[in-house]
Amino acid sequence: MAIIYRCQLELHDSLYYATREIGRLYETEPIIHNYALCYALGLVDSEKYSTTVSEEHSYRYFCPEQVPKYEEHLTPLNQQAIYVTPARSLNHSAILNTWKYANNNYHVEMEKTQKNIPSFGRAKEIAPESQFEFFVIAQKQLKLPKWIRLGKWMSKAEVTVEQLPSPNIQADVFTCHHPLNPLDVMFTNRVISYDVVNMPPVSLIQNVKMQGKYYQFDSIKDLRIPTQMEYRFRS
């Protein structure tokens, strides 16, 4: 029987990652990818969760190259039947920060630079005290961390975990209002309609109408979560 944890995440620092770039504006979408949450929760390459990877792909101590290895890192979570959904915003606000730097050219002959025009950009970040919600699905009890770090600035966030009552499994057409990773559901459910959230490395979908099996809770009428979700990396 699946064990499902509902996790609420509250930011204690501003959260930044470039979901999209619009000219000089780097915008952070108020949604957190499930890949990012797996790393932040310490589920990747972990002896505690039995998800260690080969030394060649080791993540814990040293990354010799800045190349994502999602398949190598997340496949052990499939083997342990651990799955994390993307996180949606419960409430959030944004802040806009402007950064700039001068074009200082130095030369051994101390030649005068031709121009000194500052370059600038703006980063739209998610403000502290914003709150998000996501779910962790497992086949055995997990001890998740209370504090994690997220985003480019390694922003601090607090995680509150609630174990939900045992779910019922239904099969029908249903709507999931929480964001999903399309690669992780499209092979086990028939996706009918959805809204796209464009973000790397895999765009997410939300307000998803689909047909298939889902978890339902007697005490939480509007919550429906697809079953049999696992990390997939090819469509």
Side-chain angles (χ1 to χ4, degrees), residues 5-157:
Y5 299 94
R6 176 161 58 185
C7 303
Q8 290 196 2
L9 184 154
E10 181 173 350
L11 299 180
H12 284 236
D13 297 314
S14 62
L15 175 63
Y16 168 71
Y17 49 86
T19 306
R20 65 172 64 90
E21 300 178 10
I22 309 171
R24 294 181 184 269
L25 174 64
Y26 301 85
E27 185 173 1
T28 304
E29 185 80 22
I31 192 169
I32 304 175
H33 207 287
N34 60 335
Y35 292 179
L37 287 169
C38 288
Y39 287 94
L41 291 167
L43 297 173
V44 173
D45 197 12
S46 166
E47 294 181 356
K48 176 181 178 181
Y49 300 108
S50 302
T51 59
T52 53
V53 301
S54 65
E55 185 176 351
E56 177 188 1
H57 305 303
S58 178
Y59 176 77
R60 286 175 288 170
Y61 304 113
F62 173 68
C63 296
E65 54 184 355
Q66 297 299 313
V67 178
K69 296 185 176 182
Y70 300 122
E71 184 169 2
E72 293 83 357
H73 289 167
L74 299 178
T75 297
L77 273 70
N78 288 340
Q79 297 165 354
Q80 295 301 318
I82 299 172
Y83 186 81
V84 182
T85 71
R88 68 167 182 168
S89 167
L90 296 177
N91 60 78
H92 74 277
S93 57
I95 55 177
L96 191 63
N97 290 325
T98 300
W99 49 265
K100 55 187 175 182
Y101 58 89
N103 182 20
N104 292 323
N105 295 326
Y106 297 97
H107 191 273
V108 291
E109 296 179 4
M110 298 302 291
E111 294 180 355
K112 185 177 180 180
T113 57
Q114 297 296 317
K115 56 184 178 180
N116 184 18
I117 303 175
S119 180
F120 70 93
R122 290 175 178 162
K124 184 178 180 182
E125 305 177 6
I126 307 300
E129 299 185 3
S130 298
Q131 295 179 317
F132 294 81
E133 179 183 62
F134 63 95
F135 298 90
V136 178
I137 304 169
Q139 294 296 320
K140 57 185 178 182
Q141 296 283 341
L142 299 179
K143 177 68 174 178
L144 297 171
K146 181 176 177 60
W147 298 98
I148 64 173
R149 292 189 176 274
L150 288 164
K152 295 291 187 181
W153 311 145
M154 296 298 287
S155 306
K156 189 176 182 180

